[in-house]
Amino acid sequence: MGTDGTGGDRTYKVLIVDDNPNLLSIITDSLLELGDFQVVTAADGAEGLAAFYAEHPDCMVIDVKMPGLDGYQLVRAIRGDPETAGTPLVILTALVQDSNRFAGMAAGVDCYLTKPVKPQDLVAAIQQAIARSEAERRQQLRVLVEEPPPEA
Amino acid sequence: MLEPLSGPISEPAIVQTYDRKRRLGLTRVIAPGIAVLLGLFTVVFTIYLIRVGVPSSRTVLAFLTVGVLVACVMLFLLAAVAARRDGMLLATRTTIVGAGLTIVSFTILWAFVVGNGLDPVTFGAFAATGIAIALAGVLGDSSMIVIITVAMNAFVLLALIFAPPIVPGVGPASWQYLLAREQGLVGPMIVLEQWVFAVIMLASRASFRRTLGDIGAAYVQIRRLDQLEQLKDQFITNVNHELRNPTMALQGYIELLRLRHEKVTPERRGQLIERAARASDDLVALLTSVLETQRFDSGAQEFTAEAVNVCATLEDAARLIDPREGNMIERELHVHIPEALEVWGEQVRLRQILTNLLSNALKYSSNGTPVEVLAHTVLEAHPGEGRPWRSTASAARQTVEIQVRDHGLGIPPEQKPLLFKRFVRLPRDLASNVVGNGLGLHLCRILAEAMGGTIWVESTGVEGEGSTFIVRLPAPPAVATPAQAVRVTEMGFSPPQAAGC
């Protein structure tokens, strides 16, 4: 059993997208120290999208203000694809106004965090987002099993 | 309620705008009003002529009179139309001149052509010249008041001199004859009355402009305060935003150490401590950059000027650029600067200016485009040739111009004056993803002026043509500049490895 706290028995992979290298550094170290995660990083939206499709992370932590593709566009891209729409997404941003928070929630993120966030709180948020997403998936599977598909 | 003004806000601009509005508004009422009244008068006059009967020898003259009146009505209608279409000068001048012309031509026809001479109707027309002066006072400017008054003076005096006498049989009037009769007083009296009128109009207009000036000053003040409020808010938002990243890094590492310092290896502990230290340095650097502008703003700092090599300073500046601003990608920098070119100033300040300009050029242009830096000497003929100078050089002086050119979005011409103001970022950039605090160019300006130089930007505002920021600084004194080898290099930016990732 891994020490990531979700009760699962594997190491979860988290993709972090932020244009600030110091932020990537602290978040990576937080995830490595406080949980048993595998960490992949990307420095802007486009790189993040490419990494998402290449690495299939279990969760993403996304900054909003980035050159090129910004955080919300990235979120919409991932949510827009039905295959990937269920991926847990955590926004981590310096934009603290309520209007920004509403925009974030409206874009369909699982969690909207404002910097600065303590490492333990960030890790907890990621674990919760993954746990929620896993629970939903298990629920969906159960439904599929219990309700036989309509006759073709 | 004062309407908001577009365009440059300054007291003279406001005074002019509102004066124009007033004159146009008045003309829109007065010109058609006079047209109607004159039209009515023409109708009444025509009926009078018909009732009284005009001797057949004078029919042509009678028609001429009516024709002139109708033409004058047309003039006022023209003024009314021009006023509708915002042609202020045309409308006001046509009205004023039209009034003068109406009175003059009617008098000429009545007194001279028809031959009634100096009869009550003619004197009535002399009194009516006051209308023309009043119109000039209300619709025109000070010069129009004076011009119209002088014109009316001349008209009255000439009419008095040349008008046929009332009493038939007595010889033609002449100026001596005029002085001999009691009516000799009439001329000077009427001229005096016209000038009294003019003076009243001039005073009234001056007082009105003073009031407008006060309103203008108040308005400018209000707008400035509004702008300051906005800038202050913008700045607070920006700095608040910028501070969050380094703060999170610092707090994060300290928390990690607090939670895990007993459970990690000494090496790892050391690594975390190092990273915490780096985060705290970042934070201090940010605060310092914000405060530095404050320090420069609040007082002139003394420094000892020396000859500073431009090439070397540029290389230092390039090294200092935060690689994140280049998007962590290699960018081309083309340098065309004579190797031995020097400016008279301070090395740290010049480096700061170049760092800011290069950093901006990188941030606000896309990855594939190059950034160019050129420098050459320029003989400045007259200080103050359209550029503000702090120093008091009297004769022509040798200066050095350094240009930093990018091929990015460019600056819309109407926003160029805003650029060097404190905390200002263009609306386009605020909405973009580019990070900035609006202080860089303001700092550049202060530093350049502290060294006795100046800085400005040239840009067409067309995307892709970019902007050229030009810094002009004094050259070292009394040094002949022989033709020097120009160094052309293409430097690539390779950002250092982002440590720790």
Side-chain angles (χ1 to χ4, degrees):
Chain A
M1 190 170 69
T3 54
D4 54 356
T6 59
D9 53 359
R10 65 180 178 97
T11 306
Y12 290 98
K13 191 189 288 186
V14 179
L15 170 60
I16 311 171
V17 189
D18 195 314
D19 57 336
N20 187 316
N22 293 335
L23 259 285
L24 289 178
S25 164
I26 178 59
I27 298 174
T28 305
D29 284 328
S30 305
L31 290 174
L32 293 176
E33 289 295 329
L34 300 178
D36 190 20
F37 292 103
Q38 202 187 337
V39 178
V40 184
T41 64
D44 65 47
E47 225 182 279
L49 200 57
F52 175 75
Y53 283 111
E55 303 279 344
H56 308 290
D58 298 294
C59 182
M60 278 179 80
V61 176
I62 306 174
D63 181 26
V64 172
K65 271 206 166 203
M66 292 185 290
L69 206 64
D70 77 14
Y72 291 144
Q73 289 172 314
L74 187 51
V75 166
R76 279 193 280 272
I78 295 172
R79 290 276 183 253
D81 184 350
E83 293 218 354
T84 60
T87 315
L89 300 175
V90 174
I91 287 269
L92 176 61
T93 175
L95 297 169
V96 304
Q97 279 93 2
D98 285 333
S99 52
N100 301 121
R101 185 180 289 270
F102 293 147
M105 302 311 276
V109 303
D110 290 274
C111 194
Y112 187 96
L113 296 173
T114 52
K115 300 172 187 172
V117 173
K118 287 189 181 176
Q120 56 270 49
D121 298 333
L122 177 60
V123 169
I126 292 172
Q127 288 168 341
Q128 272 175 20
I130 293 178
R132 250 201 312 270
S133 150
E134 300 245 290
E136 267 178 31
R137 219 174 313 156
R138 279 197 290 274
Q139 179 67 13
Q140 282 169 0
L141 275 173
R142 207 172 326 172
V143 168
L144 278 176
V145 166
E146 287 172 5
E147 288 181 13
E151 292 299 309
Chain B
M1 190 69 199
L2 282 178
E3 287 162 17
L5 290 179
S6 57
I9 303 292
S10 68
E11 203 184 297
I14 291 178
V15 167
Q16 209 178 28
T17 306
Y18 282 110
D19 193 34
R20 191 174 186 286
K21 226 173 72 154
R22 177 193 68 99
R23 286 156 77 175
L24 209 52
L26 281 169
T27 313
R28 283 203 184 126
V29 173
I30 289 177
I34 295 186
V36 164
L37 290 170
L38 193 58
L40 278 174
F41 175 77
T42 309
V43 167
V44 167
F45 184 66
T46 313
I47 294 175
Y48 162 79
L49 284 181
I50 295 173
R51 295 278 311 267
V52 157
V54 179
S56 47
S57 58
R58 296 263 170 91
T59 322
V60 171
L61 291 169
F63 274 126
L64 196 56
T65 316
V66 171
V68 161
L69 286 174
V70 169
C72 291
V73 170
M74 293 294 143
L75 258 183
F76 287 107
L77 286 175
L78 168 66
V81 167
R84 283 265 132 218
R85 298 198 180 172
D86 288 342
M88 193 265 297
L89 280 181
L90 177 63
T92 52
R93 284 179 184 167
T94 312
T95 309
I96 297 166
V97 166
L101 222 51
T102 310
I103 298 164
V104 165
S105 19
F106 178 78
T107 312
I108 290 175
L109 280 169
W110 180 267
F112 292 85
V113 174
V114 176
N116 290 315
L118 295 174
D119 71 345
V121 173
T122 311
F123 281 108
F126 289 167
T129 54
I131 296 177
I133 301 173
L135 279 176
V138 159
L139 299 179
D141 55 27
S142 310
S143 54
M144 282 235 73
I145 296 173
V146 171
I147 292 171
I148 264 287
T149 309
V150 167
M152 292 295 114
N153 292 159
F155 155 66
V156 163
L157 289 174
L158 288 173
L160 283 172
I161 290 172
F162 291 110
I166 299 171
V167 180
V170 183
S174 70
W175 65 270
Q176 291 148 325
Y177 185 58
L178 194 68
L179 287 174
R181 302 161 49 159
E182 307 85 64
Q183 279 93 331
L185 277 177
V186 166
M189 259 177 59
I190 294 183
V191 166
L192 182 65
E193 174 237 341
Q194 286 169 337
W195 274 105
V196 166
F197 226 114
V199 164
I200 294 173
M201 289 296 123
L202 285 167
S204 154
R205 185 170 165 71
S207 148
F208 180 76
R209 281 188 80 93
R210 261 198 306 278
T211 307
L212 266 189
D214 288 341
I215 294 178
Y219 188 78
V220 166
Q221 198 57 16
I222 292 174
R223 282 290 292 253
R224 277 209 195 111
L225 286 175
D226 269 346
Q227 258 180 359
L228 269 176
E229 267 298 307
Q230 261 183 26
L231 288 177
K232 182 200 74 172
D233 285 340
Q234 240 182 54
F235 176 67
I236 290 177
T237 307
N238 269 345
V239 171
N240 175 45
H241 183 271
E242 301 273 319
L243 279 176
R244 288 176 182 267
N245 277 342
T247 303
M248 174 160 170
L250 181 57
Q251 183 190 46
Y253 279 113
I254 292 177
E255 280 294 306
L256 281 183
L257 283 164
R258 188 170 71 86
L259 295 168
R260 303 274 297 164
H261 71 104
E262 282 164 1
K263 301 176 195 150
V264 295
T265 65
E267 292 83 19
R268 179 66 170 157
R269 193 161 53 229
Q271 202 183 41
L272 293 176
I273 291 174
E274 262 314 300
R275 293 176 184 177
R278 221 210 359 248
S280 76
D281 287 340
D282 271 358
L283 195 51
V284 171
L286 178 64
L287 288 176
T288 310
S289 75
V290 168
L291 289 176
E292 242 180 20
T293 25
Q294 179 65 33
R295 194 152 48 96
F296 278 121
D297 269 359
S298 57
Q301 279 191 303
E302 291 312 307
F303 67 93
T304 41
E306 54 173 359
V308 179
N309 183 282
V310 181
C311 260
T313 313
L314 178 64
E315 281 187 35
D316 282 346
R319 265 197 289 274
L320 281 179
I321 301 244
D322 187 339
R324 280 171 279 155
E325 274 156 9
N327 298 331
M328 306 282 289
I329 288 172
E330 266 208 27
R331 299 283 300 273
E332 273 184 32
L333 179 68
H334 298 240
V335 178
H336 301 257
I337 301 179
E339 277 217 39
L341 184 63
E342 292 178 326
V343 296
W344 190 244
E346 212 234 11
Q347 210 224 2
V348 173
R349 288 169 192 222
L350 179 61
R351 191 178 66 206
Q352 178 77 53
I353 293 176
L354 293 175
T355 307
N356 282 353
L357 291 181
L358 282 177
S359 161
N360 276 355
L362 290 175
K363 277 203 296 198
Y364 295 107
S365 64
S366 31
N367 287 340
T369 58
V371 171
E372 289 140 16
V373 185
L374 307 91
H376 51 248
T377 54
V378 168
L379 190 64
E380 204 192 42
H382 302 288
E385 212 176 354
R387 308 266 179 236
W389 284 91
R390 262 242 203 115
S391 56
T392 53
S394 51
R397 63 171 196 164
Q398 198 69 295
T399 65
V400 173
E401 247 184 39
I402 306 172
Q403 302 186 5
V404 177
R405 173 133 199 237
D406 68 72
H407 295 268
L409 296 170
I411 318 267
E414 70 275 5
Q415 288 171 9
K416 276 195 240 178
L418 298 175
L419 273 184
F420 293 95
K421 292 201 158 124
R422 189 158 33 155
F423 312 142
V424 167
R425 298 190 67 208
L426 300 184
R428 169 193 77 203
D429 298 323
L430 278 170
S432 77
N433 289 324
V434 179
V435 162
N437 56 18
L439 291 171
L441 284 177
H442 176 72
L443 189 55
C444 285
R445 181 167 67 87
I446 292 191
L447 292 172
E449 288 176 1
M451 291 193 281
T454 183
I455 180 172
W456 72 94
V457 64
E458 283 169 10
S459 175
T460 54
V462 174
E463 190 173 327
E465 291 186 14
S467 332
T468 306
F469 283 85
I470 306 168
V471 184
R472 192 186 276 178
L473 294 167
V479 175
T481 47
Q484 295 167 348
V486 173
R487 181 162 91 168
V488 178
T489 47
E490 300 196 359
M491 291 160 57
F493 275 111
S494 295
Q497 291 301 310
C501 279

